[in-house]
Amino acid sequence: VKESAADERYLAWTDNGGGLGEPRVRYQRFDSSLSRVGSEMLVTPGNEYGSEPALCAFGGDFAIAWVENDASADRTYHVRAGSAEWTVGPFLLEAGVHLTLDSLDATHLMLVMEEPRMVDAALPPTRLLGAVLDTAQPGAVEAFPIGPLTTADPEDPYVSQSQSSFVVAGGSAFLA
């Protein structure tokens, strides 16, 4: 649940039922007394498989991120804020997925996601990637690796980064 500057709350979830056949991402708005505002909305309409939603307050409203898997087993990260939409990927579908989203300022969002890399035994199984999303440039965005992978034992083939948490507070960005 996230709160917007308009004193509304938003709840997003993955809906696995209702005869849809594949999971879809939905959200619902609530007022400050937690009464529903309007009806729940489907974020991933049509035949799109969507899961793992992440929300943040942005531009007096909210932004939402989610993951889609396509028929060729690729995973693409999507973000929507108002009428602006971005995509990051696709990446090969291999491991679990987790993403976080927060606003950097009035016109930029930061998406932090996992890059599954289990197809190459010479590389760490999962590392964190980031993508800065600019409202002036919606569309496809390239991700960048977040820091080097470090471990006490550099020979450990299972070192990885996952389950991130990202938040902007007091003008500083924190990633855990």
Side-chain angles (χ1 to χ4, degrees), residues 120-158:
D120 188 341
L123 296 173
T126 304
R127 70 174 180 177
L128 295 181
L129 298 177
V132 175
L133 313 172
D134 183 342
T135 56
Q137 297 177 330
V141 176
E142 288 290 320
F144 57 88
I146 296 179
L149 291 174
T150 58
T151 180
D153 179 1
E155 301 299 317
D156 182 356
Y158 300 105

mmCIF file of all heavy atoms in Angstrom, residues 120-158:
data_model
loop_
_atom_site.group_PDB
_atom_site.id
_atom_site.type_symbol
_atom_site.label_atom_id
_atom_site.label_comp_id
_atom_site.label_asym_id
_atom_site.label_seq_id
_atom_site.Cartn_x
_atom_site.Cartn_y
_atom_site.Cartn_z
ATOM 1 N N ASP A 120 24.518 -19.103 -17.464
ATOM 2 C CA ASP A 120 25.967 -19.072 -17.636
ATOM 3 C C ASP A 120 26.620 -19.369 -16.294
ATOM 4 O O ASP A 120 26.630 -18.530 -15.398
ATOM 5 C CB ASP A 120 26.396 -17.701 -18.156
ATOM 6 C CG ASP A 120 27.867 -17.645 -18.534
ATOM 7 O OD1 ASP A 120 28.644 -18.510 -18.073
ATOM 8 O OD2 ASP A 120 28.232 -16.740 -19.286
ATOM 9 N N ALA A 121 27.202 -20.558 -16.151
ATOM 10 C CA ALA A 121 27.796 -20.976 -14.877
ATOM 11 C C ALA A 121 28.981 -20.109 -14.481
ATOM 12 O O ALA A 121 29.376 -20.092 -13.322
ATOM 13 C CB ALA A 121 28.218 -22.436 -14.960
ATOM 14 N N ALA A 122 29.549 -19.358 -15.422
ATOM 15 C CA ALA A 122 30.699 -18.505 -15.104
ATOM 16 C C ALA A 122 30.269 -17.185 -14.471
ATOM 17 O O ALA A 122 31.109 -16.430 -13.995
ATOM 18 C CB ALA A 122 31.503 -18.234 -16.368
ATOM 19 N N LEU A 123 28.991 -16.898 -14.464
ATOM 20 C CA LEU A 123 28.494 -15.639 -13.921
ATOM 21 C C LEU A 123 27.698 -15.890 -12.644
ATOM 22 O O LEU A 123 27.142 -16.963 -12.465
ATOM 23 C CB LEU A 123 27.591 -14.945 -14.943
ATOM 24 C CG LEU A 123 28.269 -14.525 -16.235
ATOM 25 C CD1 LEU A 123 27.224 -14.021 -17.221
ATOM 26 C CD2 LEU A 123 29.328 -13.467 -15.993
ATOM 27 N N PRO A 124 27.627 -14.897 -11.756
ATOM 28 C CA PRO A 124 26.800 -15.053 -10.551
ATOM 29 C C PRO A 124 25.356 -15.323 -10.943
ATOM 30 O O PRO A 124 24.887 -14.837 -11.969
ATOM 31 C CB PRO A 124 26.930 -13.697 -9.857
ATOM 32 C CG PRO A 124 28.157 -13.079 -10.435
ATOM 33 C CD PRO A 124 28.289 -13.605 -11.833
ATOM 34 N N PRO A 125 24.610 -16.100 -10.133
ATOM 35 C CA PRO A 125 23.255 -16.484 -10.515
ATOM 36 C C PRO A 125 22.274 -15.315 -10.609
ATOM 37 O O PRO A 125 21.399 -15.326 -11.449
ATOM 38 C CB PRO A 125 22.825 -17.465 -9.435
ATOM 39 C CG PRO A 125 23.826 -17.374 -8.366
ATOM 40 C CD PRO A 125 25.047 -16.726 -8.904
ATOM 41 N N THR A 126 22.407 -14.326 -9.763
ATOM 42 C CA THR A 126 21.501 -13.189 -9.813
ATOM 43 C C THR A 126 22.254 -11.941 -9.379
ATOM 44 O O THR A 126 23.033 -11.977 -8.437
ATOM 45 C CB THR A 126 20.300 -13.381 -8.862
ATOM 46 O OG1 THR A 126 19.651 -14.598 -9.189
ATOM 47 C CG2 THR A 126 19.304 -12.251 -8.983
ATOM 48 N N ARG A 127 22.023 -10.855 -10.070
ATOM 49 C CA ARG A 127 22.594 -9.578 -9.641
ATOM 50 C C ARG A 127 21.517 -8.512 -9.769
ATOM 51 O O ARG A 127 20.532 -8.683 -10.492
ATOM 52 C CB ARG A 127 23.829 -9.211 -10.450
ATOM 53 C CG ARG A 127 23.521 -8.844 -11.882
ATOM 54 C CD ARG A 127 24.754 -8.367 -12.585
ATOM 55 N NE ARG A 127 24.434 -8.025 -13.958
ATOM 56 C CZ ARG A 127 25.293 -7.522 -14.802
ATOM 57 N NH1 ARG A 127 26.531 -7.302 -14.425
ATOM 58 N NH2 ARG A 127 24.931 -7.242 -16.035
ATOM 59 N N LEU A 128 21.730 -7.398 -9.075
ATOM 60 C CA LEU A 128 20.771 -6.309 -9.129
ATOM 61 C C LEU A 128 21.098 -5.370 -10.276
ATOM 62 O O LEU A 128 22.257 -5.067 -10.543
ATOM 63 C CB LEU A 128 20.784 -5.520 -7.819
ATOM 64 C CG LEU A 128 20.329 -6.281 -6.582
ATOM 65 C CD1 LEU A 128 20.376 -5.369 -5.371
ATOM 66 C CD2 LEU A 128 18.936 -6.845 -6.767
ATOM 67 N N LEU A 129 20.037 -4.935 -10.944
ATOM 68 C CA LEU A 129 20.143 -3.947 -12.003
ATOM 69 C C LEU A 129 19.281 -2.749 -11.628
ATOM 70 O O LEU A 129 18.290 -2.883 -10.911
ATOM 71 C CB LEU A 129 19.637 -4.508 -13.330
ATOM 72 C CG LEU A 129 20.378 -5.699 -13.912
ATOM 73 C CD1 LEU A 129 19.682 -6.157 -15.192
ATOM 74 C CD2 LEU A 129 21.826 -5.349 -14.193
ATOM 75 N N GLY A 130 19.641 -1.590 -12.136
ATOM 76 C CA GLY A 130 18.848 -0.387 -11.936
ATOM 77 C C GLY A 130 18.503 0.231 -13.273
ATOM 78 O O GLY A 130 19.188 -0.001 -14.272
ATOM 79 N N ALA A 131 17.446 1.017 -13.306
ATOM 80 C CA ALA A 131 17.069 1.772 -14.503
ATOM 81 C C ALA A 131 16.466 3.090 -14.035
ATOM 82 O O ALA A 131 15.577 3.103 -13.184
ATOM 83 C CB ALA A 131 16.069 1.000 -15.345
ATOM 84 N N VAL A 132 16.990 4.188 -14.553
ATOM 85 C CA VAL A 132 16.440 5.516 -14.262
ATOM 86 C C VAL A 132 15.442 5.833 -15.360
ATOM 87 O O VAL A 132 15.768 5.771 -16.554
ATOM 88 C CB VAL A 132 17.556 6.582 -14.185
ATOM 89 C CG1 VAL A 132 16.956 7.968 -13.996
ATOM 90 C CG2 VAL A 132 18.518 6.252 -13.054
ATOM 91 N N LEU A 133 14.228 6.172 -14.966
ATOM 92 C CA LEU A 133 13.128 6.436 -15.891
ATOM 93 C C LEU A 133 12.812 7.920 -15.867
ATOM 94 O O LEU A 133 12.526 8.481 -14.810
ATOM 95 C CB LEU A 133 11.914 5.611 -15.488
ATOM 96 C CG LEU A 133 12.202 4.132 -15.195
ATOM 97 C CD1 LEU A 133 10.976 3.455 -14.632
ATOM 98 C CD2 LEU A 133 12.714 3.423 -16.418
ATOM 99 N N ASP A 134 12.857 8.553 -17.028
ATOM 100 C CA ASP A 134 12.657 9.997 -17.177
ATOM 101 C C ASP A 134 11.311 10.235 -17.851
ATOM 102 O O ASP A 134 11.055 9.681 -18.931
ATOM 103 C CB ASP A 134 13.801 10.559 -18.019
ATOM 104 C CG ASP A 134 13.768 12.060 -18.188
ATOM 105 O OD1 ASP A 134 12.706 12.688 -17.959
ATOM 106 O OD2 ASP A 134 14.813 12.615 -18.557
ATOM 107 N N THR A 135 10.450 11.056 -17.258
ATOM 108 C CA THR A 135 9.124 11.304 -17.846
ATOM 109 C C THR A 135 9.228 11.978 -19.213
ATOM 110 O O THR A 135 8.302 11.884 -20.011
ATOM 111 C CB THR A 135 8.255 12.168 -16.916
ATOM 112 O OG1 THR A 135 8.946 13.387 -16.618
ATOM 113 C CG2 THR A 135 7.914 11.436 -15.631
ATOM 114 N N ALA A 136 10.348 12.649 -19.512
ATOM 115 C CA ALA A 136 10.538 13.278 -20.813
ATOM 116 C C ALA A 136 10.959 12.264 -21.878
ATOM 117 O O ALA A 136 10.948 12.591 -23.067
ATOM 118 C CB ALA A 136 11.584 14.385 -20.716
ATOM 119 N N GLN A 137 11.318 11.037 -21.447
ATOM 120 C CA GLN A 137 11.773 10.027 -22.397
ATOM 121 C C GLN A 137 11.169 8.657 -22.084
ATOM 122 O O GLN A 137 11.881 7.733 -21.695
ATOM 123 C CB GLN A 137 13.295 9.932 -22.377
ATOM 124 C CG GLN A 137 13.965 11.207 -22.812
ATOM 125 C CD GLN A 137 15.475 11.104 -22.704
ATOM 126 O OE1 GLN A 137 16.009 10.391 -21.864
ATOM 127 N NE2 GLN A 137 16.165 11.828 -23.559
ATOM 128 N N PRO A 138 9.850 8.506 -22.241
ATOM 129 C CA PRO A 138 9.257 7.181 -22.030
ATOM 130 C C PRO A 138 9.691 6.228 -23.130
ATOM 131 O O PRO A 138 10.227 6.651 -24.153
ATOM 132 C CB PRO A 138 7.748 7.451 -22.073
ATOM 133 C CG PRO A 138 7.607 8.724 -22.823
ATOM 134 C CD PRO A 138 8.863 9.503 -22.610
ATOM 135 N N GLY A 139 9.476 4.938 -22.904
ATOM 136 C CA GLY A 139 9.832 3.929 -23.897
ATOM 137 C C GLY A 139 10.811 2.932 -23.325
ATOM 138 O O GLY A 139 10.870 2.715 -22.115
ATOM 139 N N ALA A 140 11.619 2.333 -24.187
ATOM 140 C CA ALA A 140 12.591 1.331 -23.768
ATOM 141 C C ALA A 140 13.776 2.001 -23.069
ATOM 142 O O ALA A 140 14.273 3.032 -23.515
ATOM 143 C CB ALA A 140 13.076 0.533 -24.963
ATOM 144 N N VAL A 141 14.200 1.398 -21.951
ATOM 145 C CA VAL A 141 15.301 1.937 -21.145
ATOM 146 C C VAL A 141 16.308 0.820 -20.900
ATOM 147 O O VAL A 141 15.930 -0.327 -20.645
ATOM 148 C CB VAL A 141 14.768 2.469 -19.783
ATOM 149 C CG1 VAL A 141 15.891 2.942 -18.894
ATOM 150 C CG2 VAL A 141 13.748 3.578 -20.010
ATOM 151 N N GLU A 142 17.598 1.155 -20.972
ATOM 152 C CA GLU A 142 18.661 0.201 -20.678
ATOM 153 C C GLU A 142 18.893 0.141 -19.175
ATOM 154 O O GLU A 142 18.901 1.165 -18.504
ATOM 155 C CB GLU A 142 19.967 0.605 -21.360
ATOM 156 C CG GLU A 142 19.949 0.409 -22.857
ATOM 157 C CD GLU A 142 19.956 -1.046 -23.255
ATOM 158 O OE1 GLU A 142 20.669 -1.847 -22.609
ATOM 159 O OE2 GLU A 142 19.240 -1.384 -24.217
ATOM 160 N N ALA A 143 19.099 -1.048 -18.663
ATOM 161 C CA ALA A 143 19.413 -1.234 -17.247
ATOM 162 C C ALA A 143 20.930 -1.205 -17.065
ATOM 163 O O ALA A 143 21.682 -1.456 -18.000
ATOM 164 C CB ALA A 143 18.856 -2.563 -16.758
ATOM 165 N N PHE A 144 21.355 -0.900 -15.840
ATOM 166 C CA PHE A 144 22.778 -0.895 -15.515
ATOM 167 C C PHE A 144 22.988 -1.734 -14.258
ATOM 168 O O PHE A 144 22.121 -1.806 -13.402
ATOM 169 C CB PHE A 144 23.289 0.540 -15.306
ATOM 170 C CG PHE A 144 22.561 1.299 -14.243
ATOM 171 C CD1 PHE A 144 22.958 1.233 -12.909
ATOM 172 C CD2 PHE A 144 21.467 2.089 -14.566
ATOM 173 C CE1 PHE A 144 22.284 1.937 -11.924
ATOM 174 C CE2 PHE A 144 20.783 2.799 -13.585
ATOM 175 C CZ PHE A 144 21.195 2.717 -12.262
ATOM 176 N N PRO A 145 24.159 -2.397 -14.144
ATOM 177 C CA PRO A 145 24.434 -3.187 -12.938
ATOM 178 C C PRO A 145 24.637 -2.278 -11.734
ATOM 179 O O PRO A 145 25.223 -1.208 -11.853
ATOM 180 C CB PRO A 145 25.709 -3.955 -13.273
ATOM 181 C CG PRO A 145 26.252 -3.347 -14.504
ATOM 182 C CD PRO A 145 25.208 -2.497 -15.131
ATOM 183 N N ILE A 146 24.143 -2.717 -10.587
ATOM 184 C CA ILE A 146 24.301 -1.952 -9.351
ATOM 185 C C ILE A 146 25.459 -2.553 -8.572
ATOM 186 O O ILE A 146 25.328 -3.616 -7.983
ATOM 187 C CB ILE A 146 23.016 -1.970 -8.513
ATOM 188 C CG1 ILE A 146 21.914 -1.268 -9.287
ATOM 189 C CG2 ILE A 146 23.250 -1.319 -7.156
ATOM 190 C CD1 ILE A 146 20.598 -1.220 -8.598
ATOM 191 N N GLY A 147 26.584 -1.882 -8.617
ATOM 192 C CA GLY A 147 27.754 -2.271 -7.842
ATOM 193 C C GLY A 147 28.299 -3.627 -8.209
ATOM 194 O O GLY A 147 27.631 -4.439 -8.836
ATOM 195 N N PRO A 148 29.516 -3.888 -7.809
ATOM 196 C CA PRO A 148 30.098 -5.210 -8.046
ATOM 197 C C PRO A 148 29.559 -6.221 -7.033
ATOM 198 O O PRO A 148 29.171 -5.854 -5.928
ATOM 199 C CB PRO A 148 31.590 -4.973 -7.830
ATOM 200 C CG PRO A 148 31.632 -3.844 -6.847
ATOM 201 C CD PRO A 148 30.439 -2.974 -7.171
ATOM 202 N N LEU A 149 29.535 -7.463 -7.426
ATOM 203 C CA LEU A 149 29.185 -8.522 -6.485
ATOM 204 C C LEU A 149 30.390 -8.750 -5.588
ATOM 205 O O LEU A 149 31.512 -8.878 -6.063
ATOM 206 C CB LEU A 149 28.850 -9.807 -7.226
ATOM 207 C CG LEU A 149 27.564 -9.784 -8.027
ATOM 208 C CD1 LEU A 149 27.436 -11.066 -8.831
ATOM 209 C CD2 LEU A 149 26.377 -9.643 -7.106
ATOM 210 N N THR A 150 30.170 -8.750 -4.294
ATOM 211 C CA THR A 150 31.275 -8.974 -3.363
ATOM 212 C C THR A 150 30.905 -10.083 -2.401
ATOM 213 O O THR A 150 29.740 -10.295 -2.085
ATOM 214 C CB THR A 150 31.582 -7.698 -2.555
ATOM 215 O OG1 THR A 150 30.406 -7.313 -1.855
ATOM 216 C CG2 THR A 150 32.032 -6.573 -3.468
ATOM 217 N N THR A 151 31.912 -10.776 -1.931
ATOM 218 C CA THR A 151 31.719 -11.838 -0.960
ATOM 219 C C THR A 151 33.027 -12.060 -0.224
ATOM 220 O O THR A 151 34.095 -11.726 -0.723
ATOM 221 C CB THR A 151 31.253 -13.147 -1.628
ATOM 222 O OG1 THR A 151 31.088 -14.136 -0.620
ATOM 223 C CG2 THR A 151 32.255 -13.646 -2.646
ATOM 224 N N ALA A 152 32.977 -12.639 0.946
ATOM 225 C CA ALA A 152 34.189 -12.955 1.690
ATOM 226 C C ALA A 152 35.001 -14.024 0.970
ATOM 227 O O ALA A 152 36.214 -14.105 1.121
ATOM 228 C CB ALA A 152 33.840 -13.419 3.099
ATOM 229 N N ASP A 153 34.354 -14.874 0.187
ATOM 230 C CA ASP A 153 35.030 -15.936 -0.535
ATOM 231 C C ASP A 153 34.822 -15.713 -2.037
ATOM 232 O O ASP A 153 33.772 -16.057 -2.580
ATOM 233 C CB ASP A 153 34.455 -17.295 -0.122
ATOM 234 C CG ASP A 153 35.105 -18.457 -0.855
ATOM 235 O OD1 ASP A 153 36.025 -18.214 -1.672
ATOM 236 O OD2 ASP A 153 34.692 -19.592 -0.606
ATOM 237 N N PRO A 154 35.805 -15.113 -2.742
ATOM 238 C CA PRO A 154 35.614 -14.799 -4.161
ATOM 239 C C PRO A 154 35.435 -16.046 -5.040
ATOM 240 O O PRO A 154 35.034 -15.940 -6.181
ATOM 241 C CB PRO A 154 36.873 -14.034 -4.545
ATOM 242 C CG PRO A 154 37.853 -14.275 -3.461
ATOM 243 C CD PRO A 154 37.086 -14.681 -2.237
ATOM 244 N N GLU A 155 35.696 -17.222 -4.507
ATOM 245 C CA GLU A 155 35.529 -18.465 -5.269
ATOM 246 C C GLU A 155 34.118 -19.039 -5.136
ATOM 247 O O GLU A 155 33.803 -20.052 -5.741
ATOM 248 C CB GLU A 155 36.550 -19.511 -4.805
ATOM 249 C CG GLU A 155 37.991 -19.059 -4.974
ATOM 250 C CD GLU A 155 38.333 -18.774 -6.435
ATOM 251 O OE1 GLU A 155 37.932 -19.567 -7.301
ATOM 252 O OE2 GLU A 155 38.978 -17.744 -6.690
ATOM 253 N N ASP A 156 33.291 -18.415 -4.310
ATOM 254 C CA ASP A 156 31.938 -18.915 -4.075
ATOM 255 C C ASP A 156 31.092 -18.711 -5.331
ATOM 256 O O ASP A 156 30.763 -17.588 -5.682
ATOM 257 C CB ASP A 156 31.318 -18.186 -2.883
ATOM 258 C CG ASP A 156 29.922 -18.688 -2.536
ATOM 259 O OD1 ASP A 156 29.391 -19.557 -3.271
ATOM 260 O OD2 ASP A 156 29.373 -18.225 -1.546
ATOM 261 N N PRO A 157 30.716 -19.786 -6.040
ATOM 262 C CA PRO A 157 29.952 -19.622 -7.278
ATOM 263 C C PRO A 157 28.494 -19.231 -7.040
ATOM 264 O O PRO A 157 27.788 -18.952 -7.987
ATOM 265 C CB PRO A 157 30.044 -21.008 -7.927
ATOM 266 C CG PRO A 157 30.178 -21.932 -6.763
ATOM 267 C CD PRO A 157 30.984 -21.181 -5.724
ATOM 268 N N TYR A 158 28.050 -19.224 -5.785
ATOM 269 C CA TYR A 158 26.648 -18.945 -5.507
ATOM 270 C C TYR A 158 26.402 -17.541 -4.980
ATOM 271 O O TYR A 158 25.305 -17.238 -4.545
ATOM 272 C CB TYR A 158 26.086 -19.977 -4.529
ATOM 273 C CG TYR A 158 26.175 -21.364 -5.098
ATOM 274 C CD1 TYR A 158 27.120 -22.257 -4.653
ATOM 275 C CD2 TYR A 158 25.326 -21.752 -6.122
ATOM 276 C CE1 TYR A 158 27.218 -23.528 -5.198
ATOM 277 C CE2 TYR A 158 25.418 -23.010 -6.681
ATOM 278 C CZ TYR A 158 26.364 -23.892 -6.217
ATOM 279 O OH TYR A 158 26.459 -25.126 -6.765
#
